[in-house]
Amino acid sequence: MKAIIGVCACPAGIAHTYMAAENLENYAKKKGYKVKIETNGSAGVENRLTEEDIAAADAVIIAADTRVEMERFRGKPLIEVSVSAAIRKVESIFAKIENGEVSVY
């Protein structure tokens, strides 16, 4: 089973951060992936990705409209999208991952 991890963050960190995270999680589960999404919202960092989560991940999705700590993902296939893309275009994000159209960070 492929493992997908991600980070969702927007400047306000209220609704859209959590909508994007929920959408990515639901779609990944539907496709049979193991998934964990960190949220950087108004309540701070929730569901923080561990070094083990990152090491085990086959791909990383960053859905953010604000700065995210990226160095921890060095060497991983990574795709960066807006929070709204994670809400509206989740199929195309996963299609890029499945087709190998993501660069290694």
Side-chain angles (χ1 to χ4, degrees):
M1 176 189 305
K2 275 197 159 182
I4 301 285
I5 60 171
V7 178
C8 292
C10 68
I14 306 171
H16 289 107
T17 297
Y18 301 101
M19 288 167 56
E22 185 177 340
N23 208 32
L24 290 171
E25 286 171 348
N26 290 341
Y27 192 82
K29 286 176 185 169
K30 188 171 86 177
K31 296 286 278 183
Y33 291 102
K34 183 178 179 212
V35 62
K36 182 174 180 181
I37 306 293
E38 174 181 297
T39 55
N40 295 345
S42 56
V45 175
E46 295 175 83
N47 206 29
R48 184 182 296 277
L49 296 169
T50 65
E51 287 182 23
E52 293 79 21
D53 294 329
I54 296 167
D58 295 299
V60 180
I61 301 169
I62 305 296
D65 298 324
T66 186
R67 208 176 79 70
V68 170
E69 179 195 324
M70 298 292 286
E71 190 57 36
R72 57 191 168 151
F73 304 118
R74 185 164 298 285
K76 288 286 174 185
L78 184 143
I79 183 168
E80 284 188 84
V81 297
S82 67
V83 170
S84 63
I87 296 169
R88 296 189 186 94
K89 299 177 181 169
V90 71
E91 298 89 357
S92 67
I93 294 168
F94 278 85
K96 286 181 179 173
I97 292 169
E98 290 164 359
N99 295 331
E101 298 170 23
V102 293
S103 305
V104 172
Y105 182 75

